[in-house]
Amino acid sequence: MLQGMVNSVFCHRIRHIVRSLFCHGFPASHYDSGADGSQHIQIVDTVTKEEGVFFWLEEALKRNPYNVEILDKIGRCYTDGLDTVSDREQAKIFFKKAADLGYPPSEGAYAWLLREEKNPSCVAWFEKAYEHGESLAAINLSHMYFDGDVTEKDPNRGLAWLMKAVGMDDIAAIGELGSRYLRSEEHT
């Protein structure tokens, strides 16, 4: 009796995990309910070229069109050309959807694509991503102000943004602050 209960709980948990994986677009599993009410789980070892990561993300998005992680991953597929053609305009569409839903990594990614276009609205998106805890957004803003890229050159604002990233214990920002300090010492 106890073994049957354990098996039932274990099988239920496995079904839940596999269903969750499938719903989130991971190609490692497939979950079906048969017409007779039976449940079938198939673990897939390989993914065909036709059914790569991008395919499964699109399938998962059909099931949950407001899942910000899936929107973000599709944006990254388009940015990097993973299982699809590299298309920055498509990437912007997916990052913007997730950013509008308040997903900080997509806010920063969307801002980055706007920055590449020299679009000044990238500043507001980087600021929003920073407000939501993305230290990389503060680093990007610091670079923009130090270099006069998209913004007017303003080393004081650049330093202020870099210090905000340092305040978030961002290792890259701490390293950059040290590097800038050493370079400034060389010029004095």
Side-chain angles (χ1 to χ4, degrees):
M1 174 91 168
L2 181 60
Q3 184 178 5
M5 287 174 52
V6 170
N7 284 342
S8 175
V9 169
F10 179 74
C11 288
H12 174 75
R13 184 68 185 138
I14 293 294
R15 280 194 301 271
H16 172 74
I17 291 168
V18 172
R19 185 181 311 129
S20 177
L21 286 171
F22 182 68
C23 289
H24 284 92
F26 293 97
S29 61
H30 180 71
Y31 175 84
D32 277 325
S33 291
D36 61 351
S38 62
Q39 297 174 340
H40 307 279
I41 299 171
Q42 177 184 3
I43 304 298
V44 180
D45 291 332
T46 59
V47 179
T48 65
K49 184 152 180 72
E50 295 79 32
E51 294 183 351
V53 172
F54 188 76
F55 169 82
W56 286 104
L57 287 170
E58 284 185 316
E59 289 299 308
L61 190 62
K62 289 175 189 174
R63 290 172 178 75
N64 191 351
Y66 299 103
N67 184 309
V68 292
E69 291 177 356
I70 295 170
L71 290 166
D72 183 78
K73 285 181 174 109
I74 290 175
R76 292 182 195 286
C77 284
Y78 275 121
T79 301
D80 301 335
L82 178 64
D83 287 339
T84 188
V85 178
S86 181
D87 185 338
R88 292 190 132 26
E89 287 305 310
Q90 282 296 319
K92 268 184 15 186
I93 290 168
F94 285 95
F95 285 139
K96 175 83 165 73
K97 285 179 184 179
D100 285 341
L101 292 169
Y103 191 58
S106 290
E107 292 168 348
Y110 181 64
W112 181 262
L113 292 176
L114 293 174
R115 179 184 178 188
E116 286 181 342
E117 297 172 352
K118 306 291 185 202
N119 184 329
S121 66
C122 70
V123 173
W125 281 103
F126 276 132
E127 288 173 353
K128 191 174 199 178
Y130 164 75
E131 289 168 7
H132 291 141
E134 290 291 306
S135 60
L136 184 57
I139 294 171
N140 282 315
L141 284 165
S142 77
H143 291 173
M144 290 167 58
Y145 283 110
F146 278 127
D147 301 337
D149 177 30
V150 183
T151 64
E152 289 194 32
K153 192 172 186 170
D154 187 342
N156 290 329
R157 287 181 89 177
L159 182 59
W161 278 108
L162 185 57
M163 292 303 295
K164 288 180 181 188
V166 167
M168 297 173 81
D169 294 330
D170 186 287
I171 297 297
I174 293 167
E176 184 171 337
L177 181 62
S179 176
R180 286 187 182 275
Y181 174 76
L182 290 174
R183 280 184 275 158
S184 71
E185 287 293 306
E186 291 173 0
H187 292 73
T188 57

